[in-house]
Amino acid sequence: MNASQPSESAIQAHLGMLQNVVQRMASNSASCKTWCITIVSAIIVAVADKPNEKLLWIAAIPIPAFLLLDAYYLGLERGFRDSYNAFVSRYCSGTLRSQDVFCISPSKDVNWLRLEAFTSFSILGFYLPLAAIVAVVKAIIT
């Protein structure tokens, strides 16, 4: 190992930190889905208990809010996963520098990552059907 190469313990610590960040982002994304479905369901049940179809639109409010937050977390998760993979690739190819160990950031711009995540099946495949359910319940109640 030459002077510009980071130590094995530094490499392991860096990879561990990236894994922790990826795990936190994945957990936050799952929590967004859990909270969204819980809140929307509670609002639908409350409105169905006291039939007032004019209040059912309130159930739609959490959907775009959680969709945006979930896309943010999913985008960051993907960005840090890409960063992890790039770090391992540099290590395997022998091009890893000591300053690479001190950089923990997503692979791309956060706004671009969020936009990419917004169009993923993980986001649209969850929130669009949930919005459709609210629309169907609205049609049934009215």
Side-chain angles (χ1 to χ4, degrees), residues 45-96:
V45 168
V47 169
D49 187 39
K50 297 179 183 183
N52 186 351
E53 65 273 355
K54 292 179 183 174
L55 294 178
L56 192 59
W57 66 269
I58 295 171
I61 293 173
I63 296 171
F66 281 104
L67 182 147
L68 292 172
L69 187 60
D70 195 359
Y72 174 72
Y73 287 132
L74 181 62
L76 282 177
E77 176 191 345
R78 288 178 175 181
F80 280 108
R81 242 184 304 134
D82 290 346
S83 181
Y84 180 96
N85 292 335
F87 183 86
V88 170
S89 293
R90 284 192 304 273
Y91 175 72
C92 291
S93 68
T95 59
L96 187 68

